[in-house]
Amino acid sequence: MATLRKQYVVSRPVFSEDSFAENYEKINRIHKTTKDHIRQYFSDSKRVKKAALSLLPVIEWMRSYRLKQWLMGDVVSGVSTGLVAIMQGLAFSLLASLPASYGLYTAFFPVLAYFLLGTSRHISVGSFPVLSLMVGAVVTRLVPEDGPPAMIPAFTNLTQDQQRVLVASSITFLMGIIQLAMGVFQVGFVVMYLSDTLVSGFTTAAAVHILVSQLKFVLGLTVPGISGPLAIIYTLEKLFVQIHSTNICDLVMSVVIMVVVFIVKELNDRYRAKLPVPIPIEVIMTIIACGISYGFNFTERFKVEVVGEMVSGYEAPVAPNMDIIRDGGVEAFPMAIVGFTVAFSVAKVYSIKHDYAIDGNQELIAFGVSNMFGATFRSFAASTSLSRTAVQESSGGRTQIAGLISALMAMIVTIALGFLLEPLPRSVLGALVIVNLKGMLMQFTEVPYLWRRDRIECVVWVGTCTAAIFLGLDLGLAVGLGVELLTVVFRAQFPRCSVLANIRGTDLYRDRKDYLHIYEPPGVKIFRIPSPIFFANVEFFRNKLIEAVGFNPLRVLKKRNKALRKIKKMLQQNNYHITETLSSSPEEDHEDQPNLEEPDSPCHMKDLPFKMDLPFKVDWRSEMASDLGVPRVNLQSLLLDFSAVSFLDISALKGLKAIIKEFLRVDVEVYIVSCDAHVLETFHRFAFFDDEIQTFMFYPTLHDAMVQVTETNQSSNYKPMLKATRL
Amino acid sequence: MATLRKQYVVSRPVFSEDSFAENYEKINRIHKTTKDHIRQYFSDSKRVKKAALSLLPVIEWMRSYRLKQWLMGDVVSGVSTGLVAIMQGLAFSLLASLPASYGLYTAFFPVLAYFLLGTSRHISVGSFPVLSLMVGAVVTRLVPEDGPPAMIPAFTNLTQDQQRVLVASSITFLMGIIQLAMGVFQVGFVVMYLSDTLVSGFTTAAAVHILVSQLKFVLGLTVPGISGPLAIIYTLEKLFVQIHSTNICDLVMSVVIMVVVFIVKELNDRYRAKLPVPIPIEVIMTIIACGISYGFNFTERFKVEVVGEMVSGYEAPVAPNMDIIRDGGVEAFPMAIVGFTVAFSVAKVYSIKHDYAIDGNQELIAFGVSNMFGATFRSFAASTSLSRTAVQESSGGRTQIAGLISALMAMIVTIALGFLLEPLPRSVLGALVIVNLKGMLMQFTEVPYLWRRDRIECVVWVGTCTAAIFLGLDLGLAVGLGVELLTVVFRAQFPRCSVLANIRGTDLYRDRKDYLHIYEPPGVKIFRIPSPIFFANVEFFRNKLIEAVGFNPLRVLKKRNKALRKIKKMLQQNNYHITETLSSSPEEDHEDQPNLEEPDSPCHMKDLPFKMDLPFKVDWRSEMASDLGVPRVNLQSLLLDFSAVSFLDISALKGLKAIIKEFLRVDVEVYIVSCDAHVLETFHRFAFFDDEIQTFMFYPTLHDAMVQVTETNQSSNYKPMLKATRL
């Protein structure tokens, strides 16, 4: 325990902000304008060259590629990643409600574009379950399982699968455009709005959706894809209605696979250090299932649904359909955001681990182009999958060469080996998807942790998750974002205000309720505003301040005016020989704010003259005040601690001006203390000052203001010219 | 100019937060829980009685009604308000696309309920143009002018007008339920989110909509009501297409009326002081127009569209239709908010002027019941109109007795005099609506003012207005709210960080770029965080901090680790006789946060051992460091000024913990200074502290920390046990 015996000794003049500015001149800094920045940016030819180069990061990392040291690792990693990518491609195409071969396309085309444009060297580009499900939602909305497809001219003469592929590629193309645009306009920072809590709640909800969507495969049932709010409820209902027609063969196979894969994965985790490579249990199980299904002819014998005919080779490019884009525009936006957010956060983890820079906006461009390029060749929305990337990195991949090789593997399967996968039961794929949800579903355990630590954060998690489960992923994300942004407002909106007092013998000020040895000079109140002031809390502070000082200055002012009118009347009746200039009511309001007849202009100051042409000054602190029914005000100085006020908006300034004027007019001096330099600038910019509110009310520290105030109060003396008694 | 010669003298021990807490004991305050509050609330029987009474405010104000003094004023006011209410009722029913007589209903039924339940004594309850237009949007969506109405079973056997009235009353009923629920659950505070700027932008957009919607009456054209996004464009298009069939009689009459009314209103304004009552020019023009239209038989001669048959008397109550409520639910919500916000802000103005209390939640209840009651009797959405309330108050109304009398006037017209209004041309009503938009449209002049003062605020105005014009009022309000909430986040998100330095000879610290006479001790950096820290800006602060100190601690740490491994290897190769315990990498991470495999866990600290079992301590500040390719760190102490950090969320705490640890591990001492008591509590609640981050890093003021730091640095001396040179 370090005891501090050092002494804190300060002796200096008391400063107000004005006198401080007099003594210490401020350097006149010239702030660059946006124009200057742009000019400087483009005048630097090196920077331009660098910016041009940064558009094709492949050039830079290929230059420094160490062939001998890295190539082997990349090839090994590429092959292992390729196996996983093929598996996931098949499985996630079920989520997207598309034929399995398009999952393989997604493991191929986007990777090529990302190879050239991406800045991350470790992420494995391709399908991502949440995104695939979001594509699936659009697909089943426009081309439902049963019932006619949406009224889109291009759908005529297409089979259902072709219609679906057209929908998926069009929506993916749009998603790519959105990402590209975001990258070009450098707005990649929007992903900062997706906090860990939000992403956790959202992905958990996605896992629930994925689970439900795979149940039909595991049970071997036919359920039409349902989208829109409450789709999950309707889907579950349709499932349970036909639960009796469950395909036992599918169910047994799925359960066996889930159990085996789960156990082996746990073992992989436990003996990670000892195993050279994790056991590729999913690939093994798939091969076994394929073999058994083919050997025992599951399709015919048990009516098991299999992957079925795989398109061999690639199809001609397809143009995105404008009708679909128009219809699905709203859904592409959350897809673009989610796809990028996940990929970027995964890329960030590995860039920190391996110490290289990634560029958010370039990543957006890379994913935008990847998705547009892929969509043209009928692949669906690409991002990255956490598990696949982990395989790529842990098996020795150092650059996107590994990605390229995994893409080649997918190509080989597409071109030559696809037929081998045809007898694979869909239930096996479903089971593999489900067993991989463990990590995402385990995020539910965060809820009690968040609840104990921060209720507000817990509300964000639960709100996002619930909304995303019941309203669908796109709407859910919007709701979650809204809730999250509201929490920021909410945290700043109802802070705990406090009245401070001096800690005896120091220059420190603390909440007076918290300490015993405090000193509060009579007639002085220090009110701390512990948060920024803006439209949503200016009224709150007004009320808290009135509560803290114990009276409403506006009401006091009104009572005083009433009393003054009464006195005036009495004076006139009693024929005092005083020449009076009775103007109706002096309107001394020089506010330069537009005084429009808005429906909510808070208060008409003009109705409240604060000076009356009386031939004497009334001492409102005397006995007389209470005789006239005017509340006595014992407050002489009000110190507002602004140290935590980090910004003010127009509503705040209007509200502050009003309340400060009210206090000034009931003869309470107001001081604003510890105001940030930028906030002080705001005061000036908004023409806050006039003949009543002036800059001398600003003080750098509470103690400066306090020293000033207590000495002023001691020397001030009120000498009323007329001691009125009840006449 | 007051020169301050007072001296600021302080001599006290240097305090850290720990030593301060030792010296000054904190009072153990017991904070009441929500349960305590509720118990206390209900245990107070007086309060319960008062709460019960407050549900029927009429009892209280009727008790204190001064019959002699007030009744005359109320009656006069009631009659003048009644005239205006009738006029507006007729005109605004056009906005709601309903037959004129239902506007009179709206001037009657809601007033009765408000009389009993409302707390404002001055507002004139009834139709409000913006709200009427919002009702109109739902009405024309479900029952379009041309084409079949929506598929609602209850519509069969109803005329178009009856269908429309059913829609309007159902949606009004729902709006009432929403308001009532908000009142009961005491969430009236949500209106705080509608800032002046937002309301101004929104009402201006509403004025534009109203203007466009009235053009068809003024031009005597038939345009089907269009709703939804871009409706205003389509409406204008339909208008211009048939501009050649304009009814000249309607147009001339409208223009004449607009000009006359405009001029007389300006005169009314100018000679307000001299006129006993403003000239009721609208009533006069209506009567004249009625007379002329009837006398010259405008309907037949010029095909002028008139008000037409008025329903005489009242119709039987109608139950709200559930299908309509389900369909229009989304639209009723903004209506409830807008209706209440306008009424409450107007009520607030007059309550301040006349010094009585109004209760937001009771007002919500009052308007909720008013709308539900009114809707049952086929009236449409009620709030208040600014102009009508101004008439009621300025003509001497003191209580809702005036409102009651105005309602009686509307009743008389409905029952007995309706037929007189039948020949009134609709274009006259349209012209009167348009001429009254002046005030709302003049709000456009706020834009340049806002632009000069605060760009962000300007964006809110323009964003809300544009969205509300082009997307429709309901969606526009949502967009505006979203933009406004984003601005709060935005203001806190990119604040100007600064590096502070001591002003020589004082205990004050300012931005070092701003002043000349500053003192920055070597090896010490003071970084000011000028806003709350939360998910959206924690990364921003991290980057700014790294920029300010000039190095990335994580990178330095990595380089050091690499160097250490190199040294270790060299030591082993050279067969130093040192017993080493080579653990693979000590995992000293006691973070009790759930370390889930989230897609965006920012950084794996575990990969970064910060201690290696070397038999000596390496002095990273020595020459050797640069020889080993490790960047030299000249920073010894980092002071973080937390005075403006008004709150922290979990993301902020995680981020802070990470960056502080990174600095600690490269041997930089971190101090957190001027931390608010509540923020300090947050640190404790989140288990921020562990064996590395401890409470002794907190200091009450910058100067305390500075004194402590500079003395420590002077006495500290690094004595490396081994001065390694390149072997």
Side-chain angles (χ1 to χ4, degrees), chain A residues 1 4 6-14 16-17 19-20 22 24-27 29 192-193 195-196 345-346 349 352-353 355 386 443 446 449-450 453-454 457 484-486 488-493 496 503-504 506-508 510-511 513-515 528 530-532 534-536 554-555 558 592-594 596-602 604 607 643-644 646-650 676 678 681 685-686 700-701 703-704 708 711, chain B residues 1 4 6-14 16-17 19-20 22 24-27 29 192-193 195-196 345-346 349 352-353 355 386 446 449-450 453-454 457 484-486 488-493 496 503-504 506-508 510-511 513-516 528 530-532 534-536 554-555 558 592-594 596-604 607 643-644 646-650 676 678 681 685-686 700-701 703-704 708 711:
Chain A
M1 185 79 248
L4 298 159
K6 280 150 207 136
Q7 205 57 18
Y8 177 114
V9 183
V10 173
S11 176
R12 59 167 175 86
V14 166
S16 72
E17 287 285 350
S19 67
F20 183 80
E22 257 175 65
Y24 298 93
E25 210 179 334
K26 220 169 164 176
I27 300 170
R29 278 204 281 163
M192 285 197 293
Y193 292 126
S195 70
D196 293 6
S345 57
V346 173
V349 169
I352 290 172
K353 188 170 174 189
D355 199 17
L386 192 62
Q443 292 177 123
E446 272 182 50
Y449 168 81
L450 288 174
R453 294 294 160 80
D454 190 352
E457 207 95 9
E484 189 183 50
L485 294 181
L486 260 178
V488 177
V489 177
F490 203 75
R491 279 179 207 267
Q493 194 181 353
R496 286 190 256 176
I503 302 285
R504 269 182 197 286
T506 72
D507 56 344
L508 300 175
R510 295 285 166 114
D511 190 337
K513 288 186 191 161
D514 275 345
Y515 292 92
R528 176 169 163 79
S531 88
F534 55 103
F535 60 88
L554 191 61
R555 187 158 297 169
K558 272 186 190 146
D592 64 346
Q593 293 158 16
L596 302 162
E597 266 287 278
E598 286 172 54
D600 49 359
S601 58
H604 294 291
D607 300 331
S643 57
S646 42
F647 62 83
L648 293 163
D649 70 355
I650 287 190
D676 184 274
H678 301 308
E681 240 169 59
R685 200 166 66 242
F686 282 84
T701 74
H703 203 61
D704 281 288
Q708 175 67 21
E711 296 197 13
Chain B
M1 185 77 247
L4 300 160
K6 280 149 209 138
Q7 206 56 19
Y8 177 114
V9 183
V10 173
S11 175
R12 60 166 173 86
V14 166
S16 72
E17 287 285 350
S19 66
F20 183 81
E22 257 176 65
Y24 298 93
E25 208 181 335
K26 220 168 163 177
I27 300 169
R29 279 204 279 163
M192 284 198 293
Y193 291 126
S195 71
D196 293 7
S345 56
V346 172
V349 168
I352 291 172
K353 189 171 175 188
D355 200 18
L386 193 61
E446 271 181 50
Y449 167 81
L450 288 174
R453 294 292 160 80
D454 190 353
E457 206 95 10
E484 190 183 49
L485 294 181
L486 259 179
V488 177
V489 177
F490 204 75
R491 280 181 207 265
Q493 195 180 353
R496 287 190 254 177
I503 303 285
R504 268 181 197 288
T506 71
D507 56 342
L508 299 176
R510 295 284 166 113
D511 190 338
K513 288 186 190 162
D514 276 345
Y515 293 92
L516 282 172
R528 176 168 162 79
S531 87
F534 55 102
F535 59 88
L554 191 60
R555 187 159 297 169
K558 273 187 188 147
D592 63 347
Q593 294 156 18
L596 302 163
E597 266 286 277
E598 286 172 55
D600 49 357
S601 58
C603 163
H604 294 292
D607 300 330
S643 57
S646 41
F647 61 82
L648 293 163
D649 71 355
I650 286 190
D676 184 275
H678 300 309
E681 238 169 62
R685 201 168 63 239
F686 282 83
T701 75
H703 204 60
D704 281 289
Q708 175 67 22
E711 295 195 14

Side-chain angles (χ1 to χ4, degrees), chain B residues 403-471:
Chain B
L404 205 60
I405 287 165
S406 84
L408 291 178
M409 300 252 321
M411 189 185 78
I412 291 168
V413 173
T414 303
I415 292 176
L417 306 175
F419 69 94
L420 292 175
L421 292 166
E422 287 178 5
L424 179 65
R426 290 192 169 199
S427 53
V428 172
L429 288 176
L432 290 178
V433 168
I434 288 177
V435 85
N436 275 305
L437 294 175
K438 187 198 147 208
M440 267 151 97
L441 288 173
M442 283 296 284
Q443 292 178 126
F444 270 120
T445 56
E446 271 181 50
V447 178
Y449 167 81
L450 288 174
W451 178 253
R452 279 196 311 276
R453 294 292 160 80
D454 190 353
R455 304 274 155 98
I456 296 179
E457 206 95 10
C458 192
V459 166
V460 172
W461 199 101
V462 173
T464 309
C465 187
T466 316
I469 287 178
F470 292 108
L471 299 179

